[in-house]
Amino acid sequence: MTSPTANQKLLKWVEDITKLAKPANVEWLNGSKAEYDALIQSTVDAGLATPLDPIKRPNSFLFRSDPTDVARVENRTYIASKSQDDAGPTNNWINPDELKKTMTALYDGCMAGRTLYVIPFSMGPVGSPIAKIGVQITDSAYAAANMHVMTRVGNKVLEVLGKDGEFIPCLHSIGKPLAPGESDNGQWPSAPLDKKYISHFPEERTIWSYGSGYGGNALLGKKCLALRIASVQARDEGWLAEHMLILKLTNTAGKSKFVAAAFPSACGKTNLAMLVPTVPGWKVETVGDDIAWMKFGKDGQLYAINPEFGFFGVAPGTSVQSNPNAMKSVESNTIFTNVALTSDNDVWWEGIGYDPPAGDVIDWKGKVWDKKEPAAHPNSRFTVPASQCPAIAPEWQDPAGVPISAILFGGRRPSTIPLVHQARSWNHGVFLGSIVGSEVTAAALDLKAGTVRRDPFAMLPFCGYHMGDYFKHWIQIGKKEGAVLPKIFFVNWFRKTQEGRWLWPGYGENSRVLKWIFEQCDGTGKFVETEIGIMPTPDALDAPAGVTADDLKELLTVDREGWKREIADVRAEHYPKFGEKLPKELWAELEGLEARLK
Ligand code: GTP
Ligand code: SPV
Ligand code: MN
């Protein structure tokens, strides 16, 4: 096939990889609907996808992955900077030359019998000055179809790239060549765990991924490009690439503010971004649900764009009750992965809000569900165009971005961290971001669910360089001359009683907290200064139904003993990991907090 570009660097790269990987065909994607349909059809033909009921769920498909390939694999994810010190203590590192040697051997012939797809894509609106162009090579039709939904794909990207434009090469293979006459025959193709590599070469701005077809391991525009590589570019260029949702919040008077929020994987970003407020007259609209790129505007404010084009959201727990906008988004044109299949050829998952219809339910492993284990994998997901969200904000594709008034940090913390508190200053906010912790979720394969781990800024698995330098970068951002900085808040929707009951109903009721945050940004909120930061007065938040006055008090009191344990852990276990690179400003914040609690 003739190639649709005159970009020599791109042509040479595709030629080199074709020689190495030895695919049966090469196909350049143009981004058309017909092309998407053909990609999906090829997966249906290979027995990898089930078309759902065309009336109930038009143009939607269910995929079941291999049970060993169901989430990101953090222990097989590498930041291969030239020096190990640049990767820092929280990233896996292999010498880049050595890693390339190992992976080149794996890539040799890895696409035999398959089609090599070349996917030119833009993170951010095509042609906008803040957008970044990537080109993914993949042998996975599933990944290619998902990239169609999650990024802006096709010829218009090549036009912008032109003859000598820059792009980020993103090489991906599932690592399962086909022998002559062999087909996938219903078996999700992937390589064993010890052959999987999700590798980043930050100095070269290059991504090499091998062996996995799932989510962030395979859709390379997302975590690999828009976070790990972009975070390095952001450090070098003075901006921020963050694991954050972006939402537009409008009060009863019609005044709007934009909020960004960083919560670790599967800790509520999609849900908050699409929230339907229970506070009468307030409105939330979605700008993005996972990633924010933030740059200073001429007026000194931080402007955020969502570089993505779709949502790759967690299915379990999503219902008409908890997230009606997500439920409406996935009514059609949706790829479902690892959810359950009902007897009427529709999808089902735990927490969808209704029982499956009579007849057999097929679980995510393709077996008749015995009700002993979840029918849907806890990290099962939907892939859907952002434009299908009924609450999508009119500004969501504005290349200028939206001005951010507040930044929220949070995680799943059953105790200690109150429902909401506000940082006393930018550096105190950076301190709060740096100590974010959460109960581990199913979003990564190799972590033990239920344990609490520190996940600073919700970026632990996504920072492409030394996290100590990352903290310093955030401190630097706060020193920018003329900056009109967002206010920083720490929220926790996940407090539980000793007996394990949720203290806070969450979801739409989180709008009560958003309202206070809006008022704090507006200078009209009712607040008190406490040892840990600024908090709402007891009458500043209305308790939702089911939350007693005592519950609300517990949610909003400073747990002095809990915080002392928190400080001790940060001092002894967390901060020492970063050694010399831990900014002195953060040690000072820790000491200040400790002194106030004495
Ligand atoms: P990633 O896509 O992995 O980055 O996750 P995310 O941060 O977008 O998480 P998401 O909004 O998909 O939520 C993950 C899980 O948390 C789902 O099962 C939700 O139902 C649940 N969840 C979200 N918000 C709340 C909340 O306010 N309270 C409670 N209890 N659960 C919530
Ligand atoms: C996450 O794990 O934070 C996700 C899903 O958003 S993935 O795209 O697989 O990284
Ligand atoms: Mn995420």
Side-chain angles (χ1 to χ4, degrees):
M1 151 185 198
T2 53
S3 52
T5 179
N7 190 297
Q8 291 306 315
K9 193 179 153 206
L10 175 53
L11 288 170
K12 170 88 169 56
W13 179 58
V14 172
E15 193 188 310
D16 289 349
I17 300 302
T18 305
K19 268 190 203 141
L20 174 65
K22 306 176 182 65
N25 309 290
V26 175
E27 222 178 277
W28 290 71
L29 299 200
N30 60 32
S32 71
K33 161 109 177 50
E35 177 182 85
Y36 175 82
D37 293 344
L39 283 167
I40 291 282
Q41 189 57 48
S42 75
T43 63
V44 174
D45 294 345
L48 299 173
T50 307
L52 298 170
D53 183 277
I55 310 283
K56 286 197 206 83
R57 207 65 70 171
N59 194 30
S60 299
F61 299 84
L62 168 64
F63 288 80
R64 290 186 202 102
S65 79
D66 189 274
T68 62
D69 197 27
V70 293
R72 289 183 292 101
V73 277
E74 295 187 6
N75 59 5
R76 305 296 306 173
T77 299
Y78 296 91
I79 301 299
S81 38
K82 286 187 183 131
S83 130
Q84 178 164 13
D85 191 47
D86 285 341
T90 58
N91 283 312
N92 300 307
W93 180 86
I94 297 177
N95 172 287
D97 296 330
E98 190 187 314
L99 182 56
K100 281 194 171 171
K101 211 169 136 197
T102 307
M103 291 187 75
T104 301
L106 291 170
Y107 284 127
D108 189 359
C110 71
M111 297 188 185
R114 296 190 184 276
T115 298
L116 179 159
Y117 301 99
V118 184
I119 315 173
F121 65 94
S122 177
M123 299 310 289
V126 179
S128 117
I130 36 176
K132 298 213 175 289
I133 291 179
V135 181
Q136 178 161 344
I137 285 180
T138 182
D139 52 4
S140 162
Y142 169 83
N146 275 268
M147 286 295 287
H148 248 255
V149 179
M150 294 304 297
T151 72
R152 294 148 173 106
V153 166
N155 286 344
K156 48 197 191 302
V157 178
L158 290 180
E159 277 163 36
V160 173
L161 184 63
K163 270 174 68 171
D164 29 45
E166 286 295 314
F167 65 94
I168 295 171
C170 306
L171 174 55
H172 175 242
S173 172
I174 47 189
K176 178 75 181 68
L178 292 170
E182 188 187 356
S183 98
D184 284 322
N185 200 19
Q187 285 293 317
W188 171 275
S190 57
L193 190 60
D194 65 345
K195 295 271 170 5
K196 287 183 183 21
Y197 289 90
I198 321 300
S199 306
H200 308 73
F201 302 92
E203 289 95 354
E204 286 179 45
R205 318 273 198 244
T206 294
I207 298 157
W208 284 15
S209 169
Y210 183 90
S212 168
Y214 204 89
N217 301 334
L219 316 180
L220 303 189
K222 198 174 176 59
K223 299 298 159 76
C224 299
L225 191 161
L227 289 178
R228 297 197 191 95
I229 295 293
S231 63
V232 174
Q233 296 178 298
R235 173 200 61 188
D236 294 350
E237 298 164 10
W239 52 281
L240 297 165
E242 300 298 331
H243 192 203
M244 290 181 181
L245 68 92
I246 309 163
L247 65 81
K248 178 181 182 182
L249 179 61
T250 305
N251 72 5
T252 49
K255 189 170 179 184
S256 299
K257 292 184 192 298
F258 294 91
V259 175
F263 310 150
S265 300
C267 289
K269 289 183 299 301
T270 302
N271 278 271
L272 193 70
M274 297 184 186
L275 171 148
V276 178
T278 52
V279 185
W282 283 65
K283 190 159 88 174
V284 166
E285 289 161 285
T286 314
V287 177
D289 83 325
D290 199 46
I291 298 177
W293 287 349
M294 296 190 282
K295 296 185 183 177
F296 283 111
K298 289 204 173 66
D299 60 0
Q301 295 193 82
L302 275 175
Y303 283 78
I305 71 152
N306 166 18
E308 301 194 276
F309 200 48
F311 306 125
F312 182 62
V314 176
T318 309
S319 68
V320 168
Q321 187 61 32
S322 66
N323 191 347
N325 285 318
M327 290 304 279
K328 289 198 191 97
S329 304
V330 303
E331 279 176 359
S332 62
N333 310 318
T334 303
I335 297 171
F336 294 94
T337 311
N338 288 344
V339 303
L341 182 68
T342 60
S343 56
D344 60 351
N345 232 20
D346 199 4
V347 288
W348 191 84
W349 50 76
E350 279 67 28
I352 198 171
Y354 54 83
D355 292 332
D360 283 344
V361 172
I362 307 299
D363 69 13
W364 68 275
K365 289 181 177 167
K367 298 261 160 45
V368 174
W369 181 39
D370 62 7
K371 304 202 177 180
K372 287 183 190 134
E373 307 244 322
H377 187 277
N379 191 41
S380 55
R381 300 219 171 214
F382 52 80
T383 317
V384 69
S387 58
Q388 286 190 193
C389 178
I392 199 78
E395 298 86 347
W396 86 277
Q397 304 205 68
D398 188 342
V402 294
I404 298 298
S405 298
I407 291 176
L408 280 45
F409 295 114
R412 293 174 180 262
R413 293 295 304 268
S415 64
T416 309
I417 311 294
L419 180 62
V420 59
H421 70 296
Q422 182 186 340
R424 301 147 44 96
S425 64
W426 180 263
N427 281 358
H428 182 222
V430 176
F431 166 76
L432 293 177
S434 79
I435 67 164
V436 164
S438 181
E439 286 186 316
V440 162
T441 66
L445 191 67
D446 45 323
L447 301 171
K448 200 166 164 287
T451 55
V452 171
R453 74 157 175 180
R454 299 272 166 212
D455 185 351
F457 291 77
M459 280 290 278
L460 185 75
F462 309 120
C463 183
Y465 59 101
H466 195 302
M467 270 237 126
D469 287 333
Y470 171 94
F471 298 155
K472 192 179 330 149
H473 181 55
W474 267 81
I475 303 270
Q476 282 315 115
I477 289 280
K479 289 184 183 154
K480 165 132 177 140
E481 212 174 298
V484 185
L485 296 167
K487 298 197 173 358
I488 299 179
F489 300 82
F490 203 152
V491 298
N492 181 16
W493 322 136
F494 297 94
R495 280 289 288 268
K496 285 183 178 165
T497 61
Q498 297 276 342
E499 301 74 47
R501 174 178 66 86
W502 294 116
L503 264 175
W504 182 253
Y507 302 104
E509 300 293 9
N510 295 336
S511 58
R512 296 173 196 276
V513 176
L514 289 180
K515 175 172 176 283
W516 183 73
I517 288 170
F518 183 111
E519 290 164 352
Q520 284 299 95
C521 294
D522 229 16
T524 60
K526 293 202 231 167
F527 65 92
V528 285
E529 305 246 5
T530 74
E531 301 90 322
I532 61 169
I534 300 158
M535 292 178 76
T537 55
D539 62 337
L541 288 182
D542 296 333
V547 176
T548 65
D550 279 350
D551 289 342
L552 194 61
K553 194 160 166 246
E554 190 173 342
L555 284 160
L556 292 173
T557 342
V558 177
D559 171 5
R560 303 176 64 90
E561 294 316 308
W563 275 97
K564 284 181 187 164
R565 283 193 296 274
E566 194 76 9
I567 290 167
D569 181 65
V570 170
R571 184 185 286 290
E573 305 292 335
H574 182 45
Y575 274 4
K577 286 199 286 273
F578 306 100
E580 293 279 281
K581 297 237 190 199
L582 201 284
K584 59 180 186 325
E585 288 88 345
L586 295 187
W587 279 118
E589 289 297 334
L590 183 70
E591 267 145 30
L593 174 61
E594 190 167 40
R596 292 194 301 275
L597 280 163
K598 277 237 164 76

